[in-house]
Amino acid sequence: MDLLLDPAAPSRATLADLLLGITLGIAETEAVHHEIRVAHARATPRLLPLLADPVREVRHRVAYMTGLRTGHEELAVRALGERALSEPDPLIAAVMTGGVARHDVAGRAAWLSGALASRHTPAVRAAAAWGIAQAGLPWTTEVTAAVAEAWGHGDVLNGDVIEGEQRRWSDNPLAETLIAMADPARAAEICLRLTQSEDEDTAECGAVAAVDLLEEHPHAYPAFTPVIAAARAHRDLHIRSYADDLDAFTPADEADRTVR
C-alpha cells in the first residue's frame, strides 16, 4: 500500500493490479476474508487521491476498488463522481460511473441522471444508464435516449483498458440495462435500431442484446421479429448468424405454422 502511494516507486501499475486482485480474490477462510475487507476499508480514504494518478492503470484499478463497498460509501461516491467527469480515458470514466451506481447513498440518483446528458462521452452515458438499471432507479425517457445513442457508437464499454486483461462491472451491460427497463417492446426497438447499423460493432451489440432479452422474455418474440429480419439482411456474415440464434426462440405454435 505504501509503495503504491509513493509516486516514485517502481512498477506501481503492477502493485495496483496486485492490490485489486487481493481485494477481489477468494480467501482461503472467512477469517482471512474478513481481514482483507477490514484492510480495504481502512485503506479506502488513502486510495482516493489515486483516482487522479498520472498512471492510467493505477487509476483504473483504484476506480474498481473505490466502487466496492467498504463503509466509506459517501466518501467514495463524492470522489468517483468528481473524477469521472474529468477523467480523460472514457473507459476508466465508465468504471468510475459504475462505481457511483454501486453505492446506495443520497445524491447517487441525481448524479447518474446528470451523467446521461449528451455532453458526456458515450461510455459515461452508457455506464450511467446501466447504473440506473442496476440500482433500480426510475426509468425515464432520458435513460432510453442515452442507451440508444451511447450504444449507437458500438460496444462503448468494451476495450483493452489494461493490455491483456479487461475488468468491467458487467459482461453484458447493454442486455442487463434493457432487461431492467422491463419493457420488451421498447427494448426491441432499441435492438432494432442498433442491429440495422452498418457498423458491425454496433450491429452486434443490438443482436447480442436481443438474444439475451429473448432468453429473459421469450413471450416477447413477436416484438423481436423485425430485429431477426434486420440481422438476417445485414451485409456482414457474422451479424447474419445471430438471426439463427434469435430464431431458436420461435414459439412452438408459430414454428408449427411455419412448417406447415
Side-chain angles (χ1 to χ4, degrees):
M1 177 69 182
D2 290 335
L3 282 174
L4 181 59
L5 292 169
D6 180 359
S11 306
R12 293 176 65 246
T14 301
L15 289 171
D17 192 57
L18 178 61
L19 187 59
L20 177 60
I22 292 172
T23 303
L24 296 177
I26 300 175
E28 293 183 3
T29 67
E30 181 58 34
V32 172
H33 181 63
H34 175 73
E35 288 181 10
I36 291 172
R37 285 188 298 172
V38 170
H40 182 200
R42 189 185 306 119
T44 295
R46 300 176 65 200
L47 286 171
L48 296 181
L50 297 180
L51 291 171
D53 195 89
V55 179
R56 62 195 293 270
E57 291 85 354
V58 171
R59 297 198 308 275
H60 178 255
R61 296 319 201 206
V62 171
Y64 268 108
M65 285 185 274
T66 309
L68 300 172
R69 297 176 181 87
T70 64
H72 297 284
E73 279 70 21
E74 292 187 3
L75 195 62
V77 165
R78 187 161 59 249
L80 288 167
E82 289 175 358
R83 179 61 191 176
L85 301 183
S86 61
E87 166 58 48
D89 188 309
L91 290 169
I92 297 178
V95 171
M96 295 174 176
T97 301
V100 170
R102 289 172 53 82
H103 296 306
D104 186 6
V105 300
R108 172 184 63 170
W111 190 92
L112 289 171
S113 294
L116 295 171
S118 59
R119 66 180 180 275
H120 298 305
T121 65
V124 166
R125 298 180 75 196
W130 173 84
I132 286 170
Q134 293 303 299
L137 298 172
W139 191 278
T140 64
T141 55
E142 289 78 13
V143 184
T144 300
V147 170
E149 292 168 11
W151 269 283
H153 293 269
D155 193 354
V156 292
L157 296 182
N158 187 21
D160 290 326
V161 181
I162 305 300
E163 184 178 355
E165 184 174 4
Q166 178 173 274
R167 293 186 188 273
R168 297 189 290 173
W169 292 122
S170 166
D171 288 330
N172 196 344
L174 175 58
E176 286 186 2
T177 302
L178 293 179
I179 288 171
M181 186 168 68
D183 187 343
R186 187 181 300 177
E189 292 174 3
I190 294 175
C191 289
L192 175 61
R193 175 176 169 178
L194 298 176
T195 305
Q196 288 175 326
S197 173
E198 292 188 359
D199 178 76
E200 295 169 15
D201 191 31
T202 300
E204 186 169 23
C205 284
V208 170
V211 171
D212 288 344
L213 280 156
L214 277 179
E215 285 182 344
E216 186 76 14
H217 302 293
H219 63 279
Y221 178 86
F224 284 85
T225 52
V227 182
I228 298 172
R232 200 173 298 284
H234 202 277
R235 62 182 178 83
D236 182 74
L237 178 62
H238 180 59
I239 304 302
R240 293 201 298 273
S241 70
Y242 284 104
D244 294 331
D245 296 334
L246 290 163
D247 262 339
F249 296 98
T250 305
D253 55 348
E254 185 168 333
D256 289 343
R257 286 196 300 271
T258 302
V259 171
R260 292 171 190 167

